[in-house]
Amino acid sequence: KQWYQRRVAITAGSCGNKKTLIEDPKKTHKIDILAALRKFHETYYSASNMFLCVQSTETLDRIEKMIKRFEKIPSRKITLPFLNASVPHINHNFIKYYPVKEKNKLLVSWYVPSQNKHYLSKPDDYLSSLIGHQGKGSLAAKLKREGYISKLNAGITDSNVVFSTYEVSFTLTDIGADKYQEVLAYLFQYLAMLKKVGPNKKIFDEMTKLGEIDFENEGIDEPID
């Protein structure tokens, strides 16, 4: 993360301390972070930019009484600013680190355009289903047969309005740790094949049907979740 922060501004500022959030901005950029946050709050903290969802077993009268406290939130009729940013472009990089746990993992990640707007068609779920498939003829089956991996996962790990991070994760065996370049070669060969073949409507329709079944049989979550 520190490596990206030096090169991609949009990934910076997710955490910090007194020095990085208060002292450095004042010294380097003459910016008072606390004053800037207060100004942002006064400008954009508005009921017009919020939604309220209430779930309760109380009576309607009781719920109405509880909700009235939210009437104090001002409504400024302000439109949220548009974040004018593009998908970060990072050259190919290989970062090697030594884990605390005795486990070998290989993570391959890409910045892709934000997938939030594709929540109905879910193209990332389609791709993840194919990459993460465990059956005969799959990438995982091939790598396990070679003795290179014990586990494979694929999917979006982070997303915002500008970009999403897509990641393929391999849990490597000791042999796979030595042969990680072959694991990468198999992965990119598989991706090249998927690109050449193109989307398969039959697979998409099957995923859609399974999604509908899951939705219809979804259990009731605890309110705290």
Side-chain angles (χ1 to χ4, degrees):
K1 185 175 182 180
Q2 291 177 350
W3 189 93
Y4 285 126
Q5 286 180 349
R6 295 197 296 270
R7 295 162 174 80
V8 185
I10 199 170
T11 64
S14 61
C15 60
N17 53 36
K18 181 180 179 181
K19 182 177 184 300
T20 60
L21 297 179
I22 298 179
E23 296 174 359
D24 288 351
K26 282 185 177 181
K27 181 179 180 181
T28 307
H29 303 289
K30 308 300 181 183
I31 297 176
D32 186 333
I33 295 295
L34 183 57
L37 287 174
R38 284 174 175 166
K39 182 179 179 180
F40 185 90
H41 179 274
E42 292 169 358
T43 304
Y44 297 110
Y45 188 79
S46 172
S48 60
N49 292 326
M50 304 177 186
F51 293 94
L52 175 64
C53 179
V54 179
Q55 179 178 350
S56 175
T57 58
E58 298 286 348
T59 63
L60 289 177
D61 290 340
R62 175 61 177 164
I63 294 175
E64 183 178 7
K65 185 177 180 180
M66 289 189 296
I67 289 176
K68 283 187 177 296
R69 70 184 63 182
F70 293 98
E71 293 178 352
K72 297 179 181 179
I73 299 176
S75 183
R76 299 185 174 92
K77 306 299 181 183
I78 296 295
T79 302
L80 291 175
F82 175 73
L83 182 60
N84 186 20
S86 58
V87 178
H89 176 73
I90 302 294
N91 293 327
H92 304 300
N93 291 284
F94 179 76
I95 302 174
K96 189 174 184 180
Y97 64 93
Y98 294 93
V100 176
K101 295 182 179 180
E102 294 184 3
K103 180 182 292 186
N104 297 311
K105 297 198 72 173
L106 175 63
L107 308 178
V108 186
S109 59
W110 298 263
Y111 281 143
V112 298
S114 178
Q115 298 299 298
N116 293 358
K117 61 184 177 181
H118 302 302
Y119 65 93
L120 291 177
S121 57
K122 295 180 173 58
D124 54 295
D125 281 2
Y126 174 86
L127 183 61
S128 300
S129 177
L130 295 177
I131 297 176
H133 182 54
Q134 305 289 318
K136 183 179 179 180
S138 67
L139 174 63
K142 172 63 177 177
L143 293 174
K144 287 181 179 179
R145 188 165 60 250
E146 295 291 337
Y148 293 163
I149 72 168
S150 61
K151 189 176 181 180
L152 186 161
N153 291 310
I156 295 292
T157 58
D158 188 26
S159 190
N160 55 54
V161 297
V162 178
F163 68 91
S164 299
T165 304
Y166 191 89
E167 184 174 280
V168 179
S169 170
F170 301 94
T171 299
L172 303 174
T173 62
D174 291 339
I175 297 175
D178 293 330
K179 300 285 188 179
Y180 71 88
Q181 291 181 324
E182 292 188 27
V183 175
L184 289 172
Y186 278 121
L187 170 62
F188 283 99
Q189 288 173 12
Y190 189 74
L191 293 176
M193 181 195 70
L194 293 180
K195 182 178 180 180
K196 182 178 180 180
V197 173
N200 186 303
K201 188 177 184 303
K202 181 180 178 181
I203 295 176
F204 181 83
D205 290 343
E206 288 178 353
M207 292 182 60
T208 301
K209 188 63 177 179
L210 290 173
E212 291 174 350
I213 293 174
D214 288 341
F215 179 80
E216 293 297 333
N217 294 277
E218 182 70 26
I220 299 177
D221 292 335
E222 293 294 329
I224 195 172
D225 293 333

